[in-house]
Amino acid sequence: GDGAFKAACVGGRFGGLTENLDIGVDPSSLTAANLGTEGTVQVLADDRCVLEFVGKRTQFAADENCGRCVPCREGTTQLAGLLRDIYDGTYAPGDIEELVRVMDGSSICAFGVEAGRPARTAIAEFESELQAHADGDCPADSCPAPAEVT
């Protein structure tokens, strides 16, 4: 790329989103920055929509969890719904954060614990972009029309 980026997803499929890459690569530094430690970094250019990016990861979690524990099985489904609701004008960051907190604290495996990290960090780092979607505007101008969102 040209060196410019909007965000980086650090730590694999359920890594955290950040605008700051001035973070140590050791596990304790990554964990302290609320990022993942799975070893991959995906860079998002300015034309990538954070909500769409996080929504796809969350829908993956809802579709692919094992179904064994309720916090992960139901939590990922509810989280995907809360993210879809943003396109319809309902942005409830407190509800999203509470759901992710419950998933993080009560899921029985790392999948459920980590599945909410992209949403949690998107709220922390890109709240204005999420709010813009609720107001009917994609700052990246890359989202499909609301009728196309599934």
Side-chain angles (χ1 to χ4, degrees), residues 6-21:
K6 174 191 266 184
C9 180
V10 180
R13 169 134 343 244
F14 300 137
L17 288 149
T18 184
E19 295 176 296
N20 177 12
L21 290 180

Side-chain angles (χ1 to χ4, degrees), residues 7-86:
C9 180
V10 180
R13 169 134 343 244
F14 300 137
L17 288 149
T18 184
E19 295 176 296
N20 177 12
L21 290 180
D22 191 24
I23 299 166
V25 295
D26 59 284
S28 59
S29 295
L30 292 170
T31 301
N34 204 15
L35 302 172
T37 59
E38 297 303 314
T40 62
V41 176
Q42 185 173 4
V43 177
L44 283 70
D46 287 335
D47 64 349
R48 290 292 305 269
C49 175
V50 169
L51 179 58
E52 180 185 22
F53 182 84
V54 171
K56 285 181 178 181
R57 281 167 159 49
T58 303
Q59 190 60 55
F60 171 84
D63 293 341
E64 300 299 328
N65 69 75
C66 74
R68 186 168 175 209
C69 76
V70 172
C72 182
R73 181 182 66 237
E74 297 303 319
T76 55
T77 300
Q78 290 175 23
L79 184 56
L82 287 169
L83 294 173
R84 272 193 307 277
D85 289 347
I86 296 172

Side-chain angles (χ1 to χ4, degrees), residues 107-124:
S107 293
I108 61 174
C109 75
F111 192 98
V113 170
E114 295 174 0
R117 183 185 295 132
R120 181 178 59 237
T121 56
I123 289 171

